[in-house]
Amino acid sequence: MIIERHASDDGGVRLRVAGELDMVTADELSAAVSAALADGATAVVADLSGLTFCDSSGIAAMDRSYAEAARAGRTFRITGVHPNVRLVLELTDLYDTLTGT
């Protein structure tokens, strides 16, 4: 998995995530979100348009990232969700929460 970090002018951070988000790489996403929040990001948006696979460990990492941001009074959202990943997120009732819809 590859994660590219881009700061925005409004104090937020966009993470472009590509590859597979699974039990081997889930901690990388969690660490990237934690680092952005520790650096003072007001919001973290994970662009998943390059994500080709996501298992339950990846779903859990996104859920933990959402909770961590909420505890800090900030936001974590996802965008660019592939239809297969969207289906899993909808089945777990996390899609609306993580996309902010």
Side-chain angles (χ1 to χ4, degrees):
M1 182 177 67
I2 298 170
I3 300 176
E4 296 176 357
R5 179 177 166 163
H6 304 278
S8 61
D9 292 336
D10 63 0
V13 169
R14 177 174 289 271
L15 302 174
R16 295 190 66 209
V17 182
E20 297 184 355
L21 180 56
D22 55 23
M23 65 182 279
V24 175
T25 60
D27 287 343
E28 293 175 41
L29 177 63
S30 296
V33 172
S34 293
L37 294 171
D39 290 343
T42 56
V44 179
V45 176
D47 177 355
L48 305 182
S49 58
L51 193 67
T52 57
F53 176 80
C54 183
D55 71 5
S56 60
S57 299
I59 301 295
M62 288 187 272
D63 189 36
R64 284 192 307 273
S65 294
Y66 177 86
E68 179 181 0
R71 282 191 305 274
R74 303 184 208 149
T75 59
F76 171 79
R77 296 283 184 258
I78 59 172
T79 62
V81 182
H82 187 277
N84 291 339
V85 176
R86 179 182 176 145
L87 177 61
V88 173
L89 290 170
E90 287 175 341
L91 290 171
T92 57
D93 287 327
L94 288 173
Y95 182 77
D96 290 343
T97 300
L98 293 174
T99 59
T101 58

